[in-house]
Amino acid sequence: MVGLGVTLGLGWSVAQAGPRYAERILNLGVAVLLAALVGSRAFYVLLNWDYYRPHLLDILWVWQGGLSGSG
């Protein structure tokens, strides 16, 4: 549901931006979403570093959960 909301919100922002700024808004929106994903995962990993220290490859497995809203 969050993914659907993000997609609709970004699509709405691009549609409202007009042709001059649509590409810039889309690029910035995607960059913000990627930064949010990386930041939330990094914060989660820091909070649970005792587990991730011996399991470094597990840090990349974002599809198994482990995103922090604070991050």
Side-chain angles (χ1 to χ4, degrees):
M1 294 306 288
V2 172
L4 178 62
V6 166
T7 302
L8 291 174
L10 185 55
W12 179 260
S13 297
V14 169
Q16 295 298 312
R20 183 174 180 185
Y21 297 108
E23 184 178 357
R24 184 179 296 173
I25 295 294
L26 180 62
N27 290 339
L28 287 173
V30 170
V32 166
L33 291 173
L34 287 173
L37 178 68
V38 169
S40 64
R41 183 61 176 181
F43 192 70
Y44 182 82
V45 168
L46 286 174
L47 288 176
N48 298 292
W49 184 243
D50 290 336
Y51 169 78
Y52 286 105
R53 186 179 315 140
H55 304 101
L56 292 177
L57 283 178
D58 289 3
I59 293 172
L60 302 175
W61 297 355
V62 295
W63 58 88
Q64 291 187 351
L67 300 174
S68 171
S70 301

